[in-house]
Amino acid sequence: MNADFSHTCEGCEHVVTEPWAKDIISYRCFAPGRCKGRVVGVKRFDPYIPAWCPKLERSRENG
């Protein structure tokens, strides 16, 4: 399994925006699975979709 460096998690229905520190926000993934609650960005999204993403895993199975 590899990360998808052609997309980000921006726009995913599982991502929640949370306060991180003063005037800084973070993005946390609440997709079901072993990495539920993992941070996928601080101030901006990480420049990839993590390899553990269940949506990414499903697209590989169908593809």
Side-chain angles (χ1 to χ4, degrees), residues 13-29:
E13 67 272 13
H14 299 294
V15 175
V16 175
T17 303
E18 298 181 328
W20 183 267
K22 184 179 180 182
D23 300 325
I24 298 175
I25 58 170
S26 69
Y27 302 98
R28 190 176 297 269
C29 178

Side-chain angles (χ1 to χ4, degrees), residues 1-44:
M1 265 197 287
N2 294 320
D4 180 355
F5 287 90
S6 65
H7 298 88
T8 68
C9 296
E10 188 172 5
C12 179
E13 67 272 13
H14 299 294
V15 175
V16 175
T17 303
E18 298 181 328
W20 183 267
K22 184 179 180 182
D23 300 325
I24 298 175
I25 58 170
S26 69
Y27 302 98
R28 190 176 297 269
C29 178
F30 285 97
R34 61 185 173 90
C35 294
K36 185 176 184 175
R38 180 101 184 237
V39 173
V40 292
V42 177
K43 291 187 182 180
R44 62 179 181 263

